[in-house]
């Protein structure tokens, strides 16, 4: 006996009573009044639809005891059911089209009033999004059934509604046959999660209105193609085309046959639409019947043309580069229900960070989203609500793809998307879905789309051979693979994009500069989309009101993919991550390069495709240390698109300060307000170290009266002391225990070798090896030799160590040479030589350097190096050299899953202290550093913000080399140059206490001292 399909388990039942999809257009509210049904509804949550109370859909059913629930919302975010996050797993046994017998169900009821003025006309009930399937009743009469969670469903309910009071019931099923096509790496949310509305349309009305605004072969003149479908008794439309200033530039009349017509009009010269210059025009169309106007429609459009030319796709005849991001619908408080104002803020923020493209991962958005993208200027890949990733996990990826009974379901998802959104100029590609492999049903989908719309390209990464698509799309392709594609060694020859890359999980992503260089090197590589925009953390407040963000597993949801949903450029608290700041600079549309810095000559390149740089100013600064000594501005940059010009910056240093680096800092700014920002907002930056330098003629020597130092030692301790200094060593392990200067303790333990860091998300595939194979987190430093030598003007302490993880035969030999001077200064020369006694070694390690501890009161941090924000060897494009001041608290970067953070590269000196005085650590070579009030171990143990256990000391790390961050949580690991290996390293550090106002000058004295030492040694 075969299992009987329930309504929500019938893949061949696409809908009951749902209207044909139509394009996004704006009806006149005067002619077609509309009111929102958003707000409080009565709600009953059930384990399965079969448990629905008898008569639940009747008009006078007593629902007073039911709960209230806001619409739109996800019921899991309202206390019903349980939030559950998975990447590739279904939450019921895979047995298509059948779903779980216990199928969580929500019944919604709302009473509405129909006004007398709605006596005539057709009443259209519209749901923008319901997950995953639902039935609708009006006054007890069943009016329809629909599915596909992220597409609109409209029902003509004219015959069921009456003037006055009416009752609407909606029953929503969490699981349906459609769920098999919606396994999309996100929280599983259910309910009426998008808006609901009711509109009164005229009896004679526009049913569909498709506007295609394209260009002729010159790409200057517009062609307007209008396709109208209206009520059969309509006989004519009048239309006019207005430009962005409201001026009418064209108009006409179109006769209808049985309510339908297509008209093509040559408009003449227009301003083409692009993401750089999103010029919009407005079409106003009026529908007439026997001399009486019946309906009025408005559509905003843009004239642009999408084509494939050879190995490139073009916009308006020009190959472009997509600097994009993947975008889910998500809110920490609303789940899949998002506030339109927040969405607009997101788009503004994207434009502020130079992002020009969005992939709608992995489903269509609300209509207003495309209106905003049209207006702000984004190239959009609209993606069908289609993903069967869970089938890959069970090694049956193509299970449904070739089954005829599923063909219409596949096509329905793309066809409805195209029909709804094809009026939007921002959309340049239709995507068939995501991570569902391929097969006959996808071939049918591509054919169906081309029948509807051939003005855009078809995208689908699952078409691995690009047989049915117009572009060759891959995800997370490594750099070497990208180079092969760029050199046409893949056998496809079609334009290439990365639909996902640069996995922005936790600390990262790195390697973006390397990808961007390939995009610019190989014409065929037309960019890609970072995964993804937003961390999907769900708000959770503790009893004290502190906010944290939950991820998979925090709700007892099993199985789950943990924090794999926390992979965005934007943190859950809406703070831009370091990765977003870095990405902004990497993809900046303007670039500065040195030509002849002695003459202040630089090359400015315009990376835009359609606009000059006249909307930008160039601000320049001549800076040294923490001072700006000269400024200027070029108010308008006159560089044509895809061209370069040489500019000469009039910088001059009159009185050079010895031992000082001078920098030319360039900042490109908007010179007027924009739709998304203000005049003066920065677009990009650049920094050049000027080829000028002055040294001290001589260096002050140590006062002879301060030379006397005493050495006291026994079997386990050694103390070097004088009037200004006291240094204590443990002779058993060779470690420095105390460093005091002028009676103040500055170091409480260390320096000692360290190769570990708290795991970052992008280390996830290394952690098992690093911790459970090579035990890198269980490092041990053994003393091999300890010697003290008293010299003429200092005491020298030599310490040799063997440094290795437990049970391992690889590591480093450390040779410390301390020099302690009577004035309190202490030098450390550290040679770190890698060794391996067998082939059992890791491919690379997190870092190599030293760790030391300082008193807890040392909360002030100052440094000369890259800043101001955290940066790593492969994530530093937005950082420039300078002197920066911060605090230990501010050095911490909050990631939803705590991990390694706050590192700075290219540090020449670091000062950590209190408000008056600091320990100045100067380095002969550039080092990496971080300063925190917690240990690596404490950071590793914490799972959420505010769970990091602070310690009673300040922990300072100075790294000879620190491995980059990469994006290997789902992408390219760190490049060879950015990996720390078992090589030889060295550090030369000078320690001294100094008043905070003298730190910069003291650091210069050390530079001169080091040079003198180098010359005389």
């Amino acid at each position: 006996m075969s299992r009987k399909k329930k309504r929500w388990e019938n893949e061949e039942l696409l809908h009951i009573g749902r209207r044909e999809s139509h394009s996004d257009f704006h009806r006149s509210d005067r002619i077609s009044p509309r009111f929102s049904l958003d707000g409080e509804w009565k709600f009953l949550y059930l384990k399965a639809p079969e448990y629905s109370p008898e008569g639940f859909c009747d008009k006078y059913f007593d629902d007073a005891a039911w709960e209230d629930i806001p619409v739109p919302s996800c019921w899991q975010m309202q206390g019903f059911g349980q939030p559950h996050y998975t990447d590739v797993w279904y939450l019921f046994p895979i047995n298509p089209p059948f779903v779980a017998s216990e199928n969580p169900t929500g019944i919604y009821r709302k009473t509405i009033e129909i006004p007398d003025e709605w006596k005539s006309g057709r009443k259209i009930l519209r749901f923008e999004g319901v997950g995953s399937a639902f039935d609708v009743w009006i006054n007890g009469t069943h009016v329809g059934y629909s599915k596909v969670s992220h597409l609109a469903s409209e029902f003509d309910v004219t015959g069921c509604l009456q003037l006055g009071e009416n009752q609407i019931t909606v029953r929503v099923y969490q699981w349906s046959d459609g769920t098999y096509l919606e396994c999309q790496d996100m929280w599983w949310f259910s309910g009426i999660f998008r808006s609901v509305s009711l509109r009164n349309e005229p009896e004679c009305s526009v049913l569909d209105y498709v506007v295609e605004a394209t260009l002729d072969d010159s790409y200057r003149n517009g062609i307007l193609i209008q396709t109208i479908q209206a009520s059969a008794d309509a006989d004519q439309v009048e239309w006019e085309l207005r430009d962005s200033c409201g001026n009418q530039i064209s108009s006409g009349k179109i006769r209808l046959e049985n309510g339908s017509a297509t008209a093509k009009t040559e408009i003449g010269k227009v301003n083409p639409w692009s993401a750089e210059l999103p010029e919009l025009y407005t079409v106003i169309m009026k529908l007439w019947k026997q001399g009486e106007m019946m309906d009025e429609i408005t559509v905003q459009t843009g004239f642009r043309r999408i084509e494939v030319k050879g190995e490139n796709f073009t916009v308006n005849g020009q190959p472009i580069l997509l600097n994009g991001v993947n975008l889910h619908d998500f809110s920490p408080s609303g789940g899949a229900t998002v506030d339109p104002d927040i969405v607009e803020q997101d788009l503004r923020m994207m434009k502020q960070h130079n992002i020009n493209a969005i992939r709608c991962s992995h489903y269509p958005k609300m209509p207003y989203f495309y209106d905003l993208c049209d207006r702000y200027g984004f190239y959009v890949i609209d993606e069908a609500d289609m993903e069967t990733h869970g089938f890959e996990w069970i090694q049956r990826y193509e299970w449904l793809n070739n089954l005829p009974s599923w063909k219409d379901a596949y096509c329905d998802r793309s066809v409805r998307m195209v029909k709804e959104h094809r009026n939007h100029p921002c959309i340049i590609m239709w995507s068939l879905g995501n991570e569902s492999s391929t097969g006959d049903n996808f071939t049918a989908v591509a054919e169906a789309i081309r029948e509807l719309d051939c003005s855009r390209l078809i995208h689908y990464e699952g078409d691995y051979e690009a047989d049915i698509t117009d572009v060759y799309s891959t995800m997370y392709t490594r750099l070497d693979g990208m180079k092969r594609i760029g050199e046409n060694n893949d056998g496809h020859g079609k334009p290439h994009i990365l639909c996902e890359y640069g996995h922005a999980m936790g600390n990262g992503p790195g390697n973006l500069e390397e990808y961007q260089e390939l995009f610019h090197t190989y014409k065929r590589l037309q960019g890609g989309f970072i995964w993804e925009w937003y961390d999907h953390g769900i708000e959770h407040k503790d009893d004290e009101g502190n906010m944290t963000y939950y991820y998979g597993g925090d709700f007892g949801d099993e199985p789950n993919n943990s924090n794999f949903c926390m992979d965005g450029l934007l943190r859950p608290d809406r703070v831009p991550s370091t990765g977003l700041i870095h990405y902004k600079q990497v993809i900046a549309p303007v670039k500065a390069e040195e030509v002849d810095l002695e003459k202040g000559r630089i090359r400015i390149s315009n990376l835009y495709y359609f606009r000059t740089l006249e909307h930008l100013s160039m601000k320049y600064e001549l800076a040294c240390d923490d001072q700006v000594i000269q400024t200027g501005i070029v108010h308008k940059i006159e560089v044509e698109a895809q061209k370069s010009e040489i500019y000469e910056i009039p910088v001059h240093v009159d009185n050079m300060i010895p031992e000082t680096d001078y920098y030319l800092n360039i900042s490109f700014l908007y010179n007027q307000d924009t739709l998304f920002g203000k005049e003066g907002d920065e677009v990009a930056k650049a920094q050049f170290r000027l080829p000028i330098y002055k040294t001290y003629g001589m260096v002050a020597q140590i006062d002879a009266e301060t030379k006397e130092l005493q050495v006291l030692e026994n079997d386990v301790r050694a103390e070097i002391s004088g009037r200004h200094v006291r240094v204590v060593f443990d002779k058993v392990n060779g470690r420095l225990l105390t460093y005091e200067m002028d009676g103040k303790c500055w170091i409480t333990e260390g320096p000692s070798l360290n190769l570990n860091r708290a795991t970052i998300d992008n280390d996830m595939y290394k952690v098992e090896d690093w911790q459970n194979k090579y035990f890198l987190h269980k490092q041990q430093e053994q003393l091999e030799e300890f010697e003290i030598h008293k010299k003429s003007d200092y005491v020298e302490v030599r310490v040799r160590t063997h440094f290795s993880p437990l049970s391992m035969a690889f590591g480093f030999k450390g040779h410390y040479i301390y020099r302690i001077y009577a004035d309190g200064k202490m030098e450390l020369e550290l040679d770190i030589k890698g060794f391996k006694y067998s082939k059992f070694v890791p491919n690379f390690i997190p870092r190599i350097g030293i760790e030391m501890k300082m008193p807890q009161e040392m909360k002030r941090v100052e440094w000369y190096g890259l800043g101001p924000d955290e940066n790593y060897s492969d994530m530093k494009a937005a950082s420039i050299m300078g002197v920066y001041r911060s605090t230990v608290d501010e050095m911490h970067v909050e990631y939803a899953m705590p991990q390694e953070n706050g590192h700075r590269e290219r540090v020449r000196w670091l000062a950590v202290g209190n408000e008056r005085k600091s320990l100045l650590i100067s380095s002969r070579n550039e080092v990496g550093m971080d300063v925190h009030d917690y240990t690596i171990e404490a950071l590793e143990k914490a799972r959420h913000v505010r769970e990091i256990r602070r310690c009673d000391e300040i922990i300072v790390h100075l790294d000879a080399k620190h491995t980059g961050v990469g994006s290997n949580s789902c992408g390219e690991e760190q490049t060879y140059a950015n990996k720390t290996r078992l090589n030889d390293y060295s550090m030369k550090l000078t320690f001294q206490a100094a008043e905070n106002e003298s730190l910069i000058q003291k650091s210069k004295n050390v530079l001169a001292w080091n040079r003198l030492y180098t010359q005389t040694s």
Side-chain angles (χ1 to χ4, degrees):
M1 178 179 176
S2 61
R3 178 171 171 178
K4 184 178 180 181
K5 294 180 182 179
K6 301 170 183 176
R7 177 181 295 169
W8 48 89
E9 295 175 328
N10 186 351
E11 76 276 20
E12 296 179 284
L13 177 63
L14 302 184
H15 70 94
I16 298 172
R18 188 183 66 218
R19 288 179 103 197
E20 186 70 22
S21 296
H22 61 78
S23 63
D24 293 334
F25 50 73
H26 298 278
R27 292 186 184 272
S28 165
D29 287 336
R30 176 180 57 83
I31 297 173
S32 299
R34 167 190 175 277
F35 60 80
S36 170
L37 299 185
D38 292 352
E40 294 296 321
W41 290 54
K42 303 303 289 185
F43 182 72
L44 179 66
Y45 181 72
L46 303 166
K47 289 184 177 181
E50 290 83 356
Y51 295 120
S52 300
E54 185 176 352
F56 70 91
C57 60
D58 292 346
K59 181 175 181 179
Y60 298 108
F61 178 84
D62 185 4
D63 56 20
W66 289 15
E67 304 277 356
D68 292 325
I69 194 170
V71 169
S73 69
C74 304
W75 68 51
Q76 289 88 350
M77 301 297 289
Q78 302 298 322
F80 303 98
Q82 172 183 280
H84 199 135
Y85 167 65
T86 67
D87 176 16
V88 298
W89 301 317
Y90 293 100
L91 298 187
F92 48 77
I94 296 177
N95 182 27
F98 301 106
V99 296
S101 298
E102 289 199 2
N103 183 0
T105 297
I107 303 179
Y108 297 74
R109 286 174 57 88
K110 188 176 186 67
T111 299
I112 62 171
E113 289 283 331
I114 300 299
D116 291 344
E117 51 267 31
W118 281 34
K119 182 176 182 180
S120 62
R122 306 205 63 80
K123 319 303 183 284
I124 308 301
L125 178 63
R126 180 179 174 94
F127 296 84
E128 299 290 354
V130 182
S132 68
F134 65 105
D135 278 287
V136 184
W137 292 263
I138 302 290
N139 297 325
T141 299
H142 185 256
V143 296
Y145 166 79
S146 188
K147 55 191 175 186
V148 185
S149 298
H150 297 88
L151 284 172
S153 299
E154 288 187 346
F155 303 93
D156 187 335
V157 296
T158 306
C160 303
L161 283 175
Q162 57 194 31
L163 298 180
E165 185 177 278
N166 292 264
Q167 199 284 320
I168 302 175
T169 298
V170 184
R171 186 167 70 176
V172 181
Y173 317 109
Q174 179 162 339
W175 310 128
S176 70
D177 55 273
T179 305
Y180 283 103
L181 308 183
E182 297 177 6
C183 182
Q184 294 158 319
D185 185 13
M186 59 185 185
W187 294 93
W188 292 95
F189 289 126
S190 314
I192 306 175
F193 63 90
R194 290 181 177 175
S195 290
V196 185
S197 62
L198 186 67
R199 182 181 291 276
N200 190 35
E201 296 180 3
E203 291 286 352
C204 179
S205 63
V206 175
L207 302 178
D208 201 1
Y209 181 42
V210 180
V211 174
E212 180 185 347
T214 186
L215 299 168
D216 68 7
D217 291 344
S218 72
Y219 302 107
R220 296 187 183 95
N221 299 310
I223 301 172
L224 186 68
I225 304 171
Q226 303 173 73
T227 302
I228 305 106
Q229 183 179 350
S231 301
D233 52 349
D235 51 42
Q236 180 177 274
V237 299
E238 295 179 356
W239 64 271
E240 63 174 311
L241 179 67
R242 295 179 180 177
D243 64 17
S244 59
C245 296
N247 302 311
Q248 185 188 100
I249 62 172
S250 188
S251 64
K253 297 180 180 180
I254 304 171
R255 296 295 303 175
L256 303 179
E257 295 291 337
N258 294 319
S260 300
T262 296
K264 180 178 180 180
T265 308
E266 295 184 0
I267 301 300
K269 187 176 180 180
V270 294
N271 294 318
W273 185 98
S274 68
E276 297 167 14
L277 295 168
E279 188 78 18
L280 290 177
Y281 291 76
T282 302
V283 186
I284 301 173
M285 187 267 277
K286 297 178 180 179
L287 182 72
W288 293 81
K289 172 186 172 182
Q290 297 178 0
E292 181 180 359
M293 191 182 76
M294 306 303 299
D295 206 353
E296 184 176 346
I297 301 297
T298 302
V299 172
Q300 281 203 318
T301 190
F303 289 91
R304 56 101 183 97
R305 183 169 166 181
I306 315 300
E307 300 167 285
V308 172
K309 293 186 175 182
E311 63 180 18
N312 289 115
F313 66 84
T314 63
V315 174
N316 306 336
Q318 174 66 55
I320 63 167
L321 184 61
L322 302 177
N323 297 312
V325 67
N326 283 274
L327 179 66
H328 264 296
D329 288 348
F330 183 76
S331 161
S333 60
T337 302
V338 293
D339 185 336
D341 290 339
I342 298 297
V343 172
E344 185 167 8
Q345 289 177 29
D346 282 346
L347 297 181
R348 289 167 60 89
M349 195 179 301
M350 289 179 194
K351 293 292 285 190
Q352 291 163 5
H353 288 84
N354 298 324
I355 291 166
N356 72 353
I358 299 170
R359 175 177 174 230
C360 296
S361 55
H362 295 296
Y363 40 80
K365 311 304 180 195
M366 285 274 285
Y368 71 80
F369 169 83
Y370 304 94
D371 288 338
L372 292 171
C373 290
D374 292 339
R375 182 179 175 219
Y376 281 100
F378 288 97
Y379 299 119
V380 173
I381 297 181
D382 204 12
E383 190 153 274
D385 200 355
M386 175 76 211
E387 182 171 343
T388 63
H389 208 167
F391 286 92
E392 182 186 33
W393 187 263
I394 63 168
Q395 301 175 21
R396 287 287 307 276
Y397 215 174
E398 298 178 1
W399 188 339
L400 307 181
N401 295 354
N402 296 302
L403 295 180
S405 66
W406 286 83
K407 174 184 171 182
D408 289 346
Y410 277 58
C411 290
D412 180 59
R413 291 170 178 266
S414 286
V415 165
R416 287 166 61 193
M417 171 185 70
V418 173
K419 285 185 174 182
E420 285 191 29
H421 301 150
R422 54 186 166 175
N423 279 352
H424 294 281
C426 64
I427 299 172
I428 63 171
M429 298 184 195
W430 303 114
S431 177
L432 310 187
N434 184 63
E435 292 178 320
S436 302
S437 190
T438 190
D440 294 343
N441 291 339
F442 279 107
T443 301
V445 172
E447 293 173 352
I449 290 178
R450 288 190 171 102
E451 287 181 8
L452 284 170
D453 177 36
C454 58
S455 70
R456 295 174 177 87
L457 309 183
I458 290 183
H459 165 275
Y460 178 51
E461 181 271 338
D463 180 19
Y464 309 125
E465 300 301 319
D467 292 326
I468 60 175
T469 59
D470 297 305
V471 295
Y472 175 38
S473 175
T474 63
M475 57 172 64
Y476 306 109
T477 308
R478 305 315 195 245
L479 291 166
D480 58 348
M482 291 296 296
K483 185 177 180 181
R484 286 195 296 271
I485 295 170
E487 294 173 346
N488 291 310
N489 292 322
D490 59 298
H492 294 95
K494 293 184 177 182
H496 178 272
I497 63 169
L498 279 165
C499 65
E500 296 178 21
Y501 82 110
H503 200 251
M505 189 174 180
N507 192 341
N511 303 326
L512 298 186
E513 288 169 284
E514 288 84 351
Y515 277 98
Q516 202 72 10
E517 183 178 348
L518 288 174
F519 298 157
H520 286 295
T521 301
Y522 298 101
K523 187 178 179 181
R524 182 187 176 198
L525 305 180
Q526 294 193 251
F529 299 81
I530 299 295
W531 186 268
E532 63 172 310
W533 175 244
Y534 200 10
D535 277 352
H536 294 206
I538 293 180
E539 288 182 356
H540 176 77
K541 286 186 178 180
D542 62 21
D543 294 339
E544 298 177 357
N546 297 314
M547 182 71 73
T548 189
Y549 296 93
Y550 276 11
Y551 45 80
D554 286 333
F555 297 95
D557 44 320
E558 291 289 341
N560 66 78
N561 289 99
S562 189
N563 68 318
F564 205 63
C565 57
M566 309 293 271
D567 49 10
L569 293 169
L570 200 65
R571 298 184 340 196
D573 57 4
R574 302 195 55 74
V575 173
S577 70
T578 309
L580 179 55
I581 297 168
H582 173 63
Y583 189 43
K584 173 184 179 178
Q585 179 65 24
V586 168
I587 63 176
V590 57
K591 183 179 181 180
E593 300 168 288
E594 66 177 84
V595 175
D596 185 347
L597 290 179
E598 290 185 351
K599 297 180 180 179
R601 302 183 76 210
I602 62 173
R603 179 184 297 107
I604 298 177
S605 298
N606 180 356
L607 303 183
Y608 287 112
Y609 294 93
F610 301 105
R611 69 183 311 184
T612 72
L613 294 181
E614 292 181 350
H615 64 295
L616 299 182
S617 298
M618 178 174 62
K619 179 182 178 182
Y620 58 87
E621 297 178 345
L622 178 62
C624 67
D625 300 323
D626 60 347
Q627 302 296 315
V628 174
I629 58 178
Q630 183 183 338
T631 64
I633 190 166
V634 178
H635 290 285
K636 183 184 291 186
I637 310 172
E638 298 182 355
V639 184
E640 296 296 317
Q642 295 291 294
K643 301 293 183 182
S644 298
E645 298 288 344
I646 304 297
Y647 277 73
E648 193 166 302
I649 309 298
V651 294
H652 180 71
V653 182
D654 294 321
N655 299 302
M656 289 181 59
I657 305 170
E659 311 297 345
T660 301
D661 298 324
Y662 287 85
Y663 294 95
L664 173 60
N665 294 332
I666 303 292
S667 183
F668 296 99
L669 313 172
Y670 290 107
N671 54 29
Q672 57 190 347
D673 289 350
T674 66
L675 187 61
F676 49 84
K678 297 291 186 182
E679 177 184 351
D681 286 353
E682 186 176 78
V683 178
K685 66 178 71 171
Q687 183 181 63
F688 307 100
R689 182 178 174 181
L690 297 179
I692 55 176
Y693 200 80
K694 181 180 179 179
T695 61
Y696 281 118
M698 57 185 298
V699 182
Q701 300 295 307
I702 298 174
D703 190 332
E705 295 181 359
T706 66
K707 287 183 178 179
E708 295 302 321
L709 291 172
Q710 294 183 339
V711 177
L712 302 174
E713 60 179 319
N714 55 31
D715 291 342
V716 297
R717 287 168 64 90
E719 179 178 314
I720 299 94
S721 61
R723 184 154 58 104
H724 294 284
V725 66
R726 177 174 176 267
V727 184
V728 180
F729 290 89
D730 186 324
K731 293 174 63 177
V732 177
N733 57 32
R735 189 166 298 170
L736 186 150
L737 296 178
T738 303
Y739 169 58
E740 298 177 4
M741 186 173 173
D742 292 326
K744 177 68 176 176
C745 180
W746 294 99
I747 300 177
T748 58
E749 185 180 340
S752 57
L753 289 178
N754 171 60
L755 57 74
N756 191 30
R757 73 178 179 195
T759 304
I760 65 173
D761 288 319
N762 285 313
D763 291 335
M764 66 168 55
Y765 296 111
K766 307 292 185 300
V767 174
E768 180 64 25
D769 280 356
W770 281 355
Q771 294 188 355
N772 298 326
K773 183 176 179 181
Y774 299 114
F775 309 140
L776 298 189
H777 63 306
K778 293 295 183 181
Q779 56 194 5
Q780 189 178 99
E781 191 168 13
Q782 302 171 354
L783 180 65
E784 292 191 331
E785 183 179 68
F786 185 93
E787 296 179 340
I788 298 181
H789 303 279
K790 193 168 185 180
K791 305 290 185 175
S792 60
D793 56 354
Y794 59 84
V795 172
E796 182 177 274
V797 179
R798 291 179 174 264
V799 180
R800 294 184 182 273
T801 65
H802 178 96
F803 176 66
S804 178
L806 302 187
S807 192
M808 295 296 114
F810 65 82
F812 296 91
K813 295 288 187 177
H815 184 197
Y816 301 77
I817 302 176
Y818 294 92
R819 296 185 184 93
I820 297 128
Y821 296 85
D823 66 351
K825 182 167 76 272
M826 180 175 70
E827 294 178 346
L828 170 60
E829 283 192 50
L830 175 57
D831 286 327
I832 311 167
K833 297 187 181 299
F835 70 86
K836 47 187 175 183
Y837 297 151
S838 77
K839 296 181 180 180
F840 188 75
V841 296
N843 178 258
F844 66 100
I845 58 177
R847 73 200 318 177
I848 185 62
I850 58 173
E851 177 183 281
M852 61 184 195
K853 299 177 181 179
M854 297 179 63
Q856 189 181 37
E857 67 182 89
M858 307 301 179
K859 296 288 190 180
R860 183 182 185 275
V861 184
E862 187 171 343
W863 74 96
Y864 171 39
L866 287 180
D869 300 313
E870 71 171 347
N871 53 83
Y872 292 79
S873 59
D874 58 359
M875 192 176 65
K876 61 180 189 298
S879 301
I880 62 174
M881 291 291 288
V883 173
Y884 301 99
R885 297 176 180 90
S886 186
T887 65
V888 171
D889 287 342
E890 292 169 345
M891 295 292 280
H892 172 73
V893 180
E894 195 79 271
Y895 291 102
M897 165 75 89
Q899 55 197 275
E900 155 68 32
N901 69 85
H903 180 80
R904 269 73 172 178
E905 284 281 309
R906 299 188 59 197
V907 174
R908 297 300 303 272
W909 58 262
L910 167 68
V912 183
N914 54 36
E915 291 305 310
R916 188 176 69 84
K917 214 170 181 183
S918 297
L919 176 64
L920 173 64
I921 308 170
S922 302
S923 176
R924 182 182 299 175
N925 301 317
E926 293 176 346
V927 297
M929 71 85 176
D930 64 72
V931 183
H932 294 303
D933 58 354
Y934 47 76
T935 64
I936 294 173
E937 293 75 18
L939 193 56
E940 190 75 66
K941 289 179 181 178
R943 279 182 49 85
H944 300 92
V945 297
R946 278 179 291 279
E947 291 181 1
I948 305 170
R949 183 175 180 180
R950 263 55 183 185
C951 61
D952 296 331
E953 294 165 300
I954 301 301
I955 311 296
V956 178
H957 291 109
L958 297 172
D959 298 323
K961 187 172 181 63
H962 192 116
T963 291
V965 293
S967 66
N968 196 214
S969 52
C970 197
E972 179 78 61
E973 70 175 24
Q974 297 86 344
T975 60
Y976 184 91
N978 294 320
K979 291 177 179 177
T980 306
R981 300 177 185 276
L982 299 173
N983 297 330
D984 296 346
Y985 304 90
S986 64
M987 304 176 78
K988 171 68 189 304
L989 308 172
T990 301
F991 302 80
Q992 59 182 321
E995 301 289 338
N996 290 338
E997 59 266 24
S998 68
L999 290 172
I1000 294 175
Q1001 183 57 50
K1002 287 281 188 180
S1003 71
K1004 300 180 190 302
N1005 294 343
V1006 172
L1007 285 174
W1009 173 266
N1010 284 336
R1011 187 173 52 258
L1012 176 66
Y1013 174 84
T1014 302
Q1015 294 169 353
T1016 58
S1017 60

